[in-house]
Amino acid sequence: MESDQQKGREGPQKRSPLDLIMNQIRRKTSFSERKKPSVGRLFRPSVSSDKNVDIPETKETESSEGKDSTGPGTESSDTDSEISSVVGWGRVKQFVQKLGKTPDTQSLSLAHCDLTATDVVELGTLLPFLAQLEVMDLSWNDLLGGSLKALTVHLQHVSKLKVLKVSSCRLTAPDLTALGEGLDCIPLLEMLDLSWNAGVGGGNLHCLAKHLCSASSLRELHLVDCQLSEADAVTLGEVLPLLPCLEVLDLSSNKLMKKGIETVASSLSSTPQLKTLKLSMCALNQESLAMLVGEKLKFLPGLEHLDLSCNKESGGGFSTVTTSLSLLTHLKCLDMHLCCLTEEDTLALVQAVPSLSELAELDLSSNKSIGSMMQFLLPVLPLSKIKKLHLNNCGLSPETCQVLATTMQSLAQLESLNLSWNKRVGETLQQLLEPLQAGCKLQELRLSSCDLTTEDMLYLESACKRGALSQLKLLDLSYNGSVGDGGWVSFFGGAAGLKELQELDISLRPSASLSASPWLPALLDALPQLPSVHRLALQRWALGPGDREKLEKALSKRTIALECDQVSVSVAKVAG
């Protein structure tokens, strides 16, 4: 009888729910120490001590109460699953925090973390605990190359993944094959970024492409500077028909050869949903421009962003694509900077632009031959829609500057204006600023190397005081050494109207050096009125010993990135 009573006391009915949980943890700990399955190493005793890891009380109660009704084995299975999930998330947190990042169940950003092959293996074993993951960024980890398969074999656990970024990871052909094989496990993938991986090119793109299917939901494909060869371009041309949902295609910084361009161009008709096409620095010439743009843009009626910048050999060829450009009635952004545009190209734009009623961003920078022709283009722009207008280093003529001044009052939505490196701007700054009224939406104004004078600073001060620049966040007045000390004093006197200003640059040219002492007191008085400033560039302005001390005191309670050649080390530390 005593024996039976003792058995009863030792029997399971005397164990509390907490005992059951602790026994499971002990079993899991022992299991991990034996290192049988690879995932076993995730369950370490140290994780269970995490104060943020809670085991829901309801699960404990349900396991205890349902023991008799569900039969043997059910309680253990449910508890195992619960503990695995909790301890697994604790391991995820430990791994991510070790890399200086913040854990998130839906977004995993491990860019610039110096990940090793060992880290990739461990990350792969953590994916079962990230079932809700939608974004994974592993970019800029040079040591990741050659080890991607250790991660891709676990992609079935993150079937909800929508964004995958592995740019600049030194990917190899086996990596691309492994990634391609894993694509079936992530059917919801919308964005794939393989940029800055030379291993993607050289004929290796087919390792990934052969695994793509017509059911792909991919919307964005980024292949910037992948050293794509002619064979890769041909492969891409074969892949595009399999991506009917594609909206963004970025092939920038790849020298596309004639046959490759021809293949890609012929496949654009298979991507009717394309909204962004970036071909910056692709060595396009007049012939390839006509081949790619002249004939195929009619198949992309929904295109909103077209980047043809930095194709110097394309200059003179835009007159042949005028008709095609005019068909892009939904185009919002056109980037043609550094394309060696000619006067004929500008006239072609004058004919096409009136059809681009939605155009909001135009960048024609670094085309030095179009300055005198811009006076004909500016009036035909959809001025009420323009938000960004970049005309720096365009050799703007006095007539063009006058036309620009006239159109300023119609640029009600303008947020960014770049007129740097146009010497004639200094002669017409008053006319450019006068139309600006209080409430102006301008946030970025660049007037670097515009031969501004002391008098121009007075006009700028006036614009500040009447609230015309109240929303300005960036102001670049660098390389204007022709401004006298009185001009800077006046400008800083109107600083109270720059409440939103975050970046200010008044640096001198590298070959110049002037004393800041005459206007430094005005700057020091203005700083308290510039609460949002976090970057201040004063390069090549000489500061005396007394000036350094005053500047250091003014910055002692501010977090400002100070760029100043003559500032002492202690001040630089304060500036952060």
Side-chain angles (χ1 to χ4, degrees):
M1 180 67 97
E2 290 179 359
S3 176
D4 292 339
Q5 290 176 349
Q6 184 174 357
K7 288 181 180 179
R9 286 194 299 269
E10 295 175 352
Q13 64 268 27
K14 291 295 183 179
R15 290 185 297 170
S16 68
L18 180 59
D19 290 331
L20 292 174
I21 297 299
M22 294 306 297
N23 284 338
Q24 293 298 328
I25 293 178
R26 292 188 189 101
R27 289 211 304 269
K28 290 298 178 181
T29 301
S30 175
F31 186 68
S32 67
E33 290 173 349
R34 292 197 300 270
K35 298 182 180 178
K36 285 186 177 180
S38 61
V39 76
R41 68 192 189 94
L42 300 176
F43 307 115
R44 300 177 181 175
S46 60
V47 178
S48 63
S49 62
D50 191 336
K51 295 181 180 180
N52 296 324
V53 176
D54 296 323
I55 301 177
E57 184 178 352
T58 54
K59 283 291 181 181
E60 297 179 16
T61 305
E62 290 171 4
S63 297
S64 179
E65 294 178 350
K67 177 179 60 176
D68 296 333
S69 61
T70 57
T74 304
E75 175 195 30
S76 178
S77 176
D78 291 345
T79 308
D80 285 355
S81 176
E82 180 66 25
I83 295 177
S84 296
S85 177
V86 171
V87 178
W89 174 243
R91 187 69 183 99
V92 171
K93 289 174 62 178
Q94 186 182 60
F95 177 77
V96 175
Q97 291 173 345
K98 175 185 67 177
L99 299 172
K101 301 292 184 176
T102 303
D104 189 315
T105 57
Q106 293 185 311
S107 179
L108 183 64
S109 177
L110 299 179
H112 300 280
C113 284
D114 295 324
L115 295 178
T116 64
T118 303
D119 293 326
V120 175
V121 172
E122 184 173 0
L123 177 59
T125 61
L126 295 176
L127 292 188
F129 310 106
L130 290 167
Q132 303 303 315
L133 195 65
E134 295 184 359
V135 178
M136 181 158 58
D137 186 356
L138 306 177
S139 301
W140 305 99
N141 288 291
D142 290 345
L143 301 178
L144 191 149
S147 60
L148 198 60
K149 187 172 183 178
L151 180 69
T152 58
V153 294
H154 299 282
L155 286 180
Q156 71 271 18
H157 299 295
V158 288
S159 58
K160 295 182 179 181
L161 197 67
K162 294 181 179 180
V163 176
L164 179 58
K165 299 180 181 180
V166 283
S167 59
S168 190
C169 288
R170 296 188 179 181
L171 299 184
T172 62
D175 290 327
L176 295 178
T177 299
L179 179 58
E181 293 172 348
L183 288 179
D184 287 338
C185 300
I186 45 177
L188 302 180
L189 191 67
E190 296 181 356
M191 175 183 176
L192 179 60
D193 190 346
L194 303 176
S195 299
W196 295 291
N197 284 294
V200 173
N204 292 330
L205 186 60
H206 76 93
C207 297
L208 171 71
K210 63 185 179 181
H211 295 284
L212 291 172
C213 64
S214 57
S216 173
S217 58
L218 203 64
R219 295 179 182 275
E220 296 188 28
L221 179 59
H222 299 264
L223 299 172
V224 179
D225 195 11
C226 286
Q227 298 187 22
L228 300 181
S229 65
E230 186 173 284
D232 296 314
V234 171
T235 297
L236 182 61
E238 297 170 350
V239 166
L240 289 180
L242 303 178
L243 306 175
C245 299
L246 195 66
E247 295 181 358
V248 177
L249 178 61
D250 192 348
L251 303 178
S252 299
S253 301
N254 289 289
K255 294 184 178 180
L256 303 177
M257 305 306 290
K258 181 179 178 180
K259 183 179 179 181
I261 291 176
E262 186 176 3
T263 306
V264 171
S266 62
S267 300
L268 287 178
S269 58
S270 302
T271 57
Q273 304 300 318
L274 199 66
K275 295 181 180 180
T276 298
L277 179 60
K278 296 186 178 182
L279 299 169
S280 176
M281 205 179 298
C282 284
L284 301 181
N285 54 30
Q286 295 184 17
E287 182 181 4
S288 57
L289 182 68
M291 184 187 306
L292 187 61
V293 180
E295 295 294 329
K296 304 304 177 182
L297 286 187
K298 61 184 178 181
F299 297 112
L300 304 174
L303 198 65
E304 297 179 356
H305 187 152
L306 179 60
D307 186 354
L308 301 172
S309 63
C310 302
N311 288 293
K312 297 182 179 180
E313 296 182 9
S314 63
F318 288 91
S319 58
T320 62
V321 299
T322 302
T323 304
S324 298
L325 282 176
S326 62
L327 297 176
L328 303 179
T329 55
H330 295 284
L331 196 66
K332 296 180 179 180
C333 177
L334 179 59
D335 190 345
M336 298 169 64
H337 79 268
L338 197 59
C339 282
C340 294
L341 298 181
T342 63
E343 293 185 355
E344 290 73 20
D345 291 328
T346 310
L347 291 176
L349 287 176
V350 171
Q351 298 177 35
V353 162
S355 300
L356 310 182
S357 57
E358 298 297 319
L359 191 65
E361 301 179 21
L362 178 62
D363 190 345
L364 299 178
S365 302
S366 299
N367 289 292
K368 298 181 179 180
S369 300
I370 67 173
S372 60
M373 303 302 296
M374 285 301 299
Q375 60 180 307
F376 304 109
L377 178 61
L378 290 171
V380 299
L381 292 174
L383 300 176
S384 62
K385 298 288 184 67
I386 295 293
K387 293 183 178 181
K388 294 184 180 180
L389 183 59
H390 292 183
L391 303 174
N392 52 295
N393 197 25
C394 282
L396 299 183
S397 65
E399 293 79 13
T400 297
C401 289
Q402 291 293 339
V403 172
L404 177 59
T406 302
T407 59
M408 284 297 292
Q409 58 187 352
S410 300
L411 294 169
Q413 303 299 319
L414 190 64
E415 297 177 357
S416 177
L417 179 62
N418 190 343
L419 300 176
S420 295
W421 299 91
N422 287 292
K423 304 301 182 184
R424 299 294 187 179
V425 170
E427 301 174 3
T428 56
L429 189 60
Q430 179 184 11
Q431 290 82 1
L432 288 170
L433 295 176
E434 279 185 347
L436 302 181
Q437 300 300 321
C440 174
K441 297 184 178 181
L442 197 62
Q443 298 181 19
E444 179 179 316
L445 179 59
R446 296 181 182 271
L447 301 172
S448 177
S449 190
C450 284
D451 279 359
L452 300 184
T453 64
T454 300
E455 189 175 7
D456 290 324
M457 291 297 101
L458 298 178
Y459 303 136
L460 197 56
E461 176 195 10
S462 177
C464 292
K465 287 184 174 180
R466 68 173 181 269
L469 302 177
S470 60
Q471 297 189 37
L472 203 64
K473 295 181 179 180
L474 184 151
L475 179 58
D476 185 356
L477 301 174
S478 61
Y479 295 9
N480 285 292
S482 51
V483 175
D485 295 332
W488 296 118
V489 171
S490 297
F491 166 67
F492 289 123
L498 298 171
K499 295 294 186 182
E500 301 296 324
L501 192 66
Q502 299 177 3
E503 299 183 53
L504 175 62
D505 191 345
I506 61 171
S507 301
L508 298 174
R509 296 177 182 277
S511 59
S513 179
L514 297 173
S515 174
S517 298
W519 51 261
L520 187 62
L523 170 60
L524 298 179
D525 291 340
L527 283 176
Q529 304 177 67
L530 300 172
S532 301
V533 168
H534 60 71
R535 174 179 173 264
L536 179 61
L538 308 175
Q539 292 178 344
R540 267 79 65 185
W541 284 103
L543 297 172
D547 296 333
R548 295 193 188 96
E549 183 178 351
K550 294 175 183 177
L551 189 57
E552 180 177 359
K553 183 178 180 180
L555 296 176
S556 60
K557 297 182 180 181
R558 300 285 297 273
T559 304
I560 299 179
L562 182 64
E563 300 173 15
C564 186
D565 300 337
Q566 302 298 326
V567 176
S568 63
V569 176
S570 61
V571 176
K573 289 181 179 179
V574 172

